[in-house]
Amino acid sequence: MILDPQSTLSHYRVLEKIGEGGMGVVYRAFDLKLEREVALKVLRAEMASDPERFTRFQREARALASLTHPNIGAIYEIDEVDGTAFIVMELIGGQTLRQKIGGRALPIDLMLDLSLQIAEALDAAHSRGIVHRDIKPTNILITDRGRVKMLDFGLAKLTEAEDQSSDGSSRLETAQVDDRNLTTPGTTMGTIAYMSPEQVRGEEIDLRTDLFSCGAMLYEMATGRCAFSAHTSGLTFDAILNRAPVRPDQINPEIPGRLVEIIDRSLEKDRTLRYQSAADLRADLARVRRDADSGRVAVEIDAGLPGGPRRRAAGRRGRLGSRVWRTAAAVVLVAAGAAAGLYLSRAPTAGIDSIAVLPFDYAGDGDDGEYLSDGLTEALINGLSKIPDLRVAPRSLVFRYKGSLVDPKKIGRDLKVRAVVTGRVTRHGDTLTIAAELIDVDTVAQIWGEHYSRASSDIMSLPEQLAGDISQSIRGRLTLDVEQRIARRYTENPDAFAHYVKSLQQVRRGTRAEFDQAIAEAQKALVEDLRQRALLSAPPSPGGPDAQKEPGYALAYARLARLYTRQAYLRFSPIEEDHIKARSAAEFALQIDDTLAPAQDALAFVKFFYEWDWPAAERGFRKALRLGPDDDETHRDYAWFLMAMGRKPEAVEEMRRACALNPESEILSAQLAEHLFWAGRLDEARAELERTRRLAPESSSAALVTAYVLSRVGRHAEAIASYLDYQALAEEESSMSPPLAWFYASAGRRKEALAILGRAVPGEISPAQMGWVHAALGDADQAFVWLGKAIDQRAANMIWIKSQPWFDPLRHDPRFPLLLRRMNLDG
């Protein structure tokens, strides 16, 4: 439920939305009874109907309400009004510990003061059986008066022991909930760089996990550096599990030796050797603080200057405190970006105007889980692409990094982006855990990081959550329109989503079998989606109660439209059938969402390739490019259109753009070489063919275009040999190949060419191909007869009549302009 400003819920007036998390939306609100501002967290409507999630929501609220401690953000109320559940929390102003550190070591006395308060907060929580599980600098708020407030108990859980007080009564109301059903052992939660080894391994955790995370914060306060931050999630996990950070006193020589020992013990990878309680940690920190204070007093006494040095020391601390309080920025407590709880809104990161989402790694149960990581990557790219003035590297560029070691600096240079998103998906049974982080490629510093846990059935909410959290970290507050666009889900069915992603994964080499499988997966996506919408058995009647309901999975329809246009272009199926299928699928997708660039591109291709509506096709391609400027397939299709219009230089440059967006594509490289060949730029065509072969040494496409180039320069025997290589590589066994007849005719081998034409079954060679062969044989009259028939049949391979070299022998014939006029290409 979304609340409008000035609306009321119970006795709270909503002032503004200030944040959003996995379980709820948080508003700044005014308590009309007590006349104070509060943070009002409203449970998501789709989650309210889920008993498990609602139980988790109640657990979170009750756990927080039990923690009445000056160093823990307070909860005031939990209630439900007209089916809307909410909690009311303390609204706090101040500065995060991350902001306080600011990449520099804190003064030792300030560090000890803050650390003691953090340890006290943890001791209070642990004594009530609550483990926080997401201790990190952004969850520690320092108020304007210097008091630590520990936030975000959305990941908190009760320990299974110590849930009864000494007199047998319940110590905590949430102890009555069977927590084992709410958090599955084997999953990990928390933010990557501050996770404990047991969290990384997905083991059951206890209060010692918080102490490890606290140790990581102590290290950062003492050195200004993150203890375990690496270039990628995988390297960070490896550091947490297997590597010790640089000794803090090697970075900051002012750190007392005893404090180094405390940090080392907190960061023990074996939890049995780590601090066993927050009380012990607090006691050791207090001893360091006492010794530090005693040392200062001793120096002052030994100096023999009554009052002088003492006053100077006190004055320094006073000025430091004054400076800290003056510079603290006001921030507001809002909803957790992970699994719920409290969230502290971060200031947006300046200068991030471009971003690349790298393919998420996958680990966990099942062999088919790769679609999860690829699907999340794909959906996150789509979501972030909807943010104004943010350039997002397209899928075609980022997926070449899949499975490789990530170097953010190099990727930043290669893709010309300011930041990269990396992530890891882990599945254990029915539970997914997703770790993600945003890295500045210049500094290789983490801008943002978060950890999410979901049931597999809830995967559809993850891209929305990730895109929203990342956008807030780099843009701050977004407009309602942009938020709604990011939140757009095209299906709620995980199976439909899985089939759609598998369809995207199928076509790699462009074979007939790949297209068949890709189309089958896209159709399955539509069926699964429709089944959930209950439209298969009972289609809505016009004007009926479901008339306004979205009729299907727009992305799957757009995918089908593109597949039908591609396989028709490759002549894998009858063009007449694919024309109807492609147009219907594209129009259906656009009825649902007219901003889908792939659907706009497919419809433009239909108008170009099948219908010969040149003005409408160009308008469609241009619109598709405005909607998806980094879509390599649209640039490729528009290049073919420009070549058909005889605009050869524009066509070559457009195809270059497609190659730049998908530089690993053998097919695009070969098509660029073909464009250069059609444009008469033979040296450039040869150079591009060399690149094609580097990408794919056994490229059938390269062999075909090479044959064209060799024939053009009169090396006919080599051209025929290269074409036969193409047939072998493409697994074409027919000896009746029309291009082979054309190669023979161009070589002057009239007998072999006519033999192919004579032995062909009627319909095996199209009228256009018959025209090309007769033109190469010098039979102009026969050529024009066949080409006239091709126009009558609206043969697709006639559309490049203005540019294809096969028509060259006829261009000076007075009958040739008549062909162009019949096709409306004489302008």
Side-chain angles (χ1 to χ4, degrees), residues 34 79 107 126 134 156 188 248 275 291 337 380 399 411 496 516 547 605 646 653 668 677 728 761:
L34 299 178
D79 202 354
H126 292 172
D134 196 25
T188 57
Y275 278 104
D291 294 344
L380 184 53
F399 266 82
I411 292 174
D516 289 344
F605 197 87
E653 291 311 305
L668 283 179
F677 162 64
V761 175

Side-chain angles (χ1 to χ4, degrees), residues 276-354:
Q276 301 298 294
S277 72
D280 290 343
L281 172 61
R282 184 193 177 284
D284 280 354
L285 287 169
R287 291 188 188 97
V288 175
R289 176 63 176 270
R290 179 198 62 196
D291 294 344
D293 288 344
S294 298
R296 266 198 307 276
V297 171
V299 168
E300 291 165 1
I301 294 174
D302 291 344
L305 298 173
R310 186 189 303 268
R311 283 194 298 269
R312 284 197 293 272
R316 182 181 63 82
R317 292 188 65 184
R319 287 193 300 274
L320 170 65
S322 176
R323 184 165 64 250
V324 169
W325 314 145
R326 281 200 311 270
T327 58
V331 293
V332 182
L333 185 61
V334 297
L342 307 179
Y343 171 93
L344 190 65
S345 64
R346 303 176 179 90
T349 303
I352 301 301
D353 58 0
S354 52

Side-chain angles (χ1 to χ4, degrees), residues 716 720 739-750 752-754 772-778:
H716 298 294
I720 292 170
L740 183 58
W742 179 85
F743 281 114
Y744 281 138
S746 299
R749 297 167 64 173
R750 185 179 184 88
E752 290 94 332
L754 291 175
W772 296 339
V773 174
H774 281 291
L777 290 171

Side-chain angles (χ1 to χ4, degrees), residues 423-439:
R424 182 180 181 87
V425 180
T426 305
R427 182 170 63 182
H428 293 289
D430 191 46
T431 302
L432 297 175
T433 55
I434 296 87
E437 59 184 338
L438 179 67
I439 302 170

Side-chain angles (χ1 to χ4, degrees), residues 687-701:
E688 187 61 33
L689 285 170
E690 288 303 314
R691 190 176 81 87
T692 309
R693 293 189 184 92
R694 288 196 297 272
L695 292 170
E698 299 296 314
S699 169
S700 61
S701 301

Side-chain angles (χ1 to χ4, degrees), residues 726-795:
Y726 157 75
Q727 284 191 303
L729 291 168
E731 300 179 354
E732 283 194 7
E733 299 178 357
S734 174
S735 61
M736 297 295 104
S737 169
L740 183 58
W742 179 85
F743 281 114
Y744 281 138
S746 299
R749 297 167 64 173
R750 185 179 184 88
K751 181 179 178 180
E752 290 94 332
L754 291 175
I756 291 177
L757 298 184
R759 292 198 304 267
V761 175
E764 186 174 2
I765 302 179
S766 74
Q769 292 168 329
M770 292 290 285
W772 296 339
V773 174
H774 281 291
L777 290 171
D779 298 335
D781 291 344
Q782 282 295 312
F784 278 107
V785 169
W786 284 109
L787 293 179
K789 291 180 180 179
I791 293 176
D792 291 339
Q793 296 177 12
R794 300 183 73 84

Side-chain angles (χ1 to χ4, degrees), residues 512-524:
R512 188 191 302 267
E514 287 178 342
F515 272 88
D516 289 344
Q517 188 61 38
I519 288 173
E521 291 293 348
Q523 290 172 337
K524 290 176 184 177

